[in-house]
Amino acid sequence: MKRAEKNLMLVAFLSILGFGYQNCAPSNHADFASVAPNQIPALGDKVTAKQMTTLARKLKDVDAAKPYSIQEIESGGVTLKEYVTAGGVIFAVTWRGLSNPDLSQLLGSYYSDYRAEKARVPRQKGMRLENVQTSQVVVKRAGHMRDLQGQAYDTRLFPDGFTIEDLK
């Protein structure tokens, strides 16, 4: 059997298993459009209980004693957790997965400040860490191929008693 025939058979076999070319294409961010029609609520947005149950695949830490709840959304190989106050305001977002989510979507109105500060601070050679702090938002990203993680939060929106260490 010639090499070209072997490669063709391998491609056919992998496509049967669901590993077609569309799954091999590089992606800059996770697509959460399958979870919400246009966009998921961004950091600082206020969400209703109905929106939370519609968007979230799983609600975590729903405890009346805590001043916040966590909604978890899984899509495109990325697990996204939104930390929501009792009043419905998203004060922090964390993610972990195969790729980074679209930060313009997650940060919402904070995104322009984030981009300006990121452009101002030169990237350190060889570093795969990012820690961008503005007067309003903190964005931390780290990881390596297929295991990327990060968090974004506005400490001014933290409920009483919540600390950065509570971000999981």
Side-chain angles (χ1 to χ4, degrees):
M1 188 179 284
K2 294 181 181 178
R3 183 180 183 108
E5 290 173 331
K6 286 181 183 178
N7 287 342
L8 189 58
M9 287 180 62
L10 179 62
V11 168
F13 177 72
L14 290 176
S15 66
I16 290 169
L17 294 176
F19 294 102
Y21 289 116
Q22 70 277 7
N23 295 333
C24 299
S27 174
N28 294 358
H29 60 275
D31 179 16
F32 287 94
S34 61
V35 176
N38 293 329
Q39 65 178 8
I40 58 173
L43 185 65
D45 285 354
K46 186 168 182 159
V47 293
T48 64
K50 183 179 178 183
Q51 286 175 309
M52 286 178 59
T53 55
T54 302
L55 292 171
R57 299 278 171 97
K58 301 174 188 172
L59 288 175
K60 300 280 188 177
D61 290 341
V62 180
D63 183 357
K66 290 184 179 180
Y68 66 94
S69 62
I70 302 171
Q71 66 177 7
E72 184 176 287
I73 303 168
E74 295 180 18
S75 180
V78 177
T79 300
L80 173 74
K81 293 181 183 178
E82 291 184 321
Y83 292 73
V84 184
T85 65
V89 177
I90 299 171
F91 63 90
V93 179
T94 64
W95 63 88
R96 183 173 196 143
L98 302 176
S99 61
N100 280 314
D102 181 2
L103 289 182
S104 65
Q105 185 179 15
L106 289 183
L107 297 179
S109 62
Y110 297 100
Y111 186 69
S112 59
D113 289 341
Y114 160 76
R115 290 296 297 171
E117 182 64 18
K118 183 177 177 179
R120 191 185 69 74
V121 178
R123 182 173 181 248
Q124 294 180 344
K125 194 171 186 174
M127 295 296 289
R128 290 201 169 103
L129 303 173
E130 179 181 290
N131 188 359
V132 177
Q133 297 183 5
T134 72
S135 60
Q136 297 180 353
V137 68
V138 176
V139 179
K140 298 179 181 182
R141 298 191 313 168
H144 54 83
M145 188 175 7
R146 301 186 59 82
D147 184 19
L148 300 168
Q149 53 197 318
Q151 52 185 228
Y153 53 86
D154 183 347
T155 56
R156 300 171 306 159
L157 300 177
F158 280 8
D160 291 335
F162 188 87
T163 63
I164 294 170
E165 289 77 33
D166 293 326
L167 293 175
K168 306 172 197 155

